[in-house]
Amino acid sequence: MVDIDLEKFFDRVNHDILMSRLARRIKDKRVLSLIRRYLPAGMMSNGLTTARREGTPQGGPLSPLLSNILLDELDKELEGRGHKFCRYADDCNIYVQSRSSGERVMKSITSFLDRQLRLKVKVEKRAVARPWERKFLGYSLTSNREPRLKVAKESVKRLKGKLREIFRRGRGRNLGKLIADELTPLLRGWMNYFRLAEVKGIFEELDSWIRRKLRGLIWRHWKRTFARAKGLRQRGLDELRAWDSATNGRGPWWNAGASHMHAAFPKSYFDRCELLSLRHQQLRFQRTP
């Protein structure tokens, strides 16, 4: 697989080349004139507005469309060569049968982009590798004979980073409110994006990790030994086990994964708190035609 990412794509679009491609499709000169005036729209730098000599105004609704029109030439080039590929904006994966083919395609496509469209490929992000060694739009593939879509490791890492921030802010807060106000919107949105993933393991792992972090919050919230022993007794543990657990001297993360916290706060407890299960969401998406 050839992985290509364009360097500062929206900042490097050549206005003359873009306008020449637009002129092939648009015959109304008034529309072309309007787009031409739109492209050099001023940009703010250090409090001063300067005219734009290249690139498309970022944030504008027209920029993605214009950029796709320009990169349609890349799509046509790849189709003409008979390559299988997938492109989203300036990120493109081209699928070939061998490393030598990949190196050859990388060299020729890099040259095509430079020569025909005046666009540069990011040297540090381009690669020729197996599909399961790379990610595309947050997804990756398994190395099975029949590949399956999975969530890329980098995407999981970013999600955990966001969740850690929520858990850090959630110390001392009501658990139900934390779940409803912050966890559920984030997890629902993340799961909706990765609804196409077919590998279930990462969702089960994340569900378990999230519950453990919440158990850790509860342990921290109790603070003192007496409060911990009392809390565990109220959750159904006998007095001896509650006191042994409360006085073990271990930290919140260890206790959150220990049997006494699992017994006191099983999965059913978090289900009653309406904690969104990523695995259940995945199963629901798979059943949806």
Side-chain angles (χ1 to χ4, degrees):
M1 183 191 82
V2 180
D3 190 351
I4 291 175
D5 193 3
L6 298 176
E7 182 178 350
K8 295 182 179 179
F9 172 63
F10 289 97
D11 294 331
R12 295 283 177 82
V13 171
N14 184 283
H15 292 177
D16 292 334
I17 292 176
L18 174 59
M19 291 306 302
S20 70
R21 279 18 176 212
L22 289 171
R24 296 174 186 174
R25 299 165 178 265
I26 301 171
K27 301 306 177 185
D28 191 328
K29 292 184 178 179
R30 293 172 299 174
V31 174
L32 291 173
S33 175
L34 188 62
I35 295 173
R36 185 73 199 199
R37 290 168 61 188
Y38 164 80
L39 289 174
M43 54 184 175
M44 188 73 72
S45 177
N46 297 324
L48 299 174
T49 303
T50 56
R52 188 188 305 273
R53 291 192 172 87
E54 61 180 1
T56 58
Q58 293 193 38
L62 192 58
S63 294
L65 175 61
L66 295 176
S67 302
N68 259 331
I69 289 172
L70 180 64
L71 286 177
D72 184 61
E73 193 156 331
L74 171 62
D75 297 344
K76 295 294 189 292
E77 178 70 15
L78 293 171
E79 288 171 0
R81 297 185 186 191
H83 291 311
K84 293 182 179 179
F85 67 96
C86 185
R87 182 182 67 80
Y88 183 84
D90 58 341
D91 198 356
C92 182
N93 284 355
I94 308 166
Y95 301 97
V96 294
Q97 293 186 344
S98 66
R99 175 170 285 276
S100 58
S101 297
E103 297 287 357
R104 187 169 61 253
V105 170
M106 173 70 80
K107 184 177 180 180
S108 62
I109 291 300
T110 300
S111 175
F112 168 81
L113 288 166
D114 185 31
R115 187 180 65 256
Q116 296 293 329
L117 303 179
R118 305 281 178 84
L119 296 171
K120 301 289 183 184
V121 174
K122 283 183 184 176
V123 176
E124 67 276 12
K125 286 196 174 182
R126 69 180 186 181
V128 177
R130 300 287 190 184
W132 53 87
E133 294 172 355
R134 306 293 293 176
K135 67 178 179 67
F136 185 67
L137 304 178
Y139 284 90
S140 187
L141 292 169
T142 64
S143 58
N144 302 27
R145 185 175 182 82
E146 292 291 332
R148 293 187 299 160
L149 273 177
K150 67 176 185 178
V151 182
K153 291 179 181 178
E154 295 88 343
S155 301
V156 175
K157 186 177 179 181
R158 280 197 295 273
L159 174 65
K160 283 189 171 182
K162 292 177 181 178
L163 288 170
R164 284 190 182 98
E165 284 296 318
I166 291 175
F167 294 135
R168 197 172 292 119
R169 295 196 303 267
R171 294 175 186 175
R173 288 180 58 189
N174 177 273
L175 195 69
K177 239 182 125 42
L178 177 70
I179 289 172
D181 294 348
E182 299 207 46
L183 285 183
T184 297
L186 174 61
L187 295 176
R188 194 180 298 281
W190 190 85
M191 195 61 231
N192 282 339
Y193 181 81
F194 288 105
R195 64 191 300 165
L196 299 177
E198 300 166 284
V199 179
K200 67 178 183 179
I202 189 58
F203 301 118
E204 293 173 342
E205 180 187 319
L206 281 169
D207 280 340
S208 177
W209 183 83
I210 290 167
R211 288 195 297 271
R212 184 169 180 177
K213 294 293 282 187
L214 289 171
R215 291 187 187 104
L217 283 182
I218 295 169
W219 189 262
R220 286 178 181 276
H221 180 67
W222 283 336
K223 294 183 181 178
R224 299 184 183 280
T225 301
F226 178 80
R228 288 168 179 170
K230 180 182 177 182
L232 290 172
R233 286 201 310 273
Q234 288 175 343
R235 293 297 305 165
L237 272 66
D238 63 74
E239 187 168 355
L240 179 60
R241 188 183 180 191
W243 275 104
D244 283 346
S245 302
T247 57
N248 61 36
R250 302 276 192 163
W253 178 248
W254 186 91
N255 278 285
S259 61
H260 54 271
M261 286 297 283
H262 276 264
F265 298 94
K267 180 181 178 299
S268 58
Y269 170 83
F270 296 105
D271 290 340
R272 289 194 298 274
C273 291
E274 299 185 352
L275 175 65
L276 188 77
S277 168
L278 298 177
R279 174 58 177 151
H280 288 169
Q281 285 290 100
Q282 187 209 20
L283 288 171
R284 186 172 68 83
F285 288 138
Q286 287 178 345
R287 289 193 294 265
T288 304

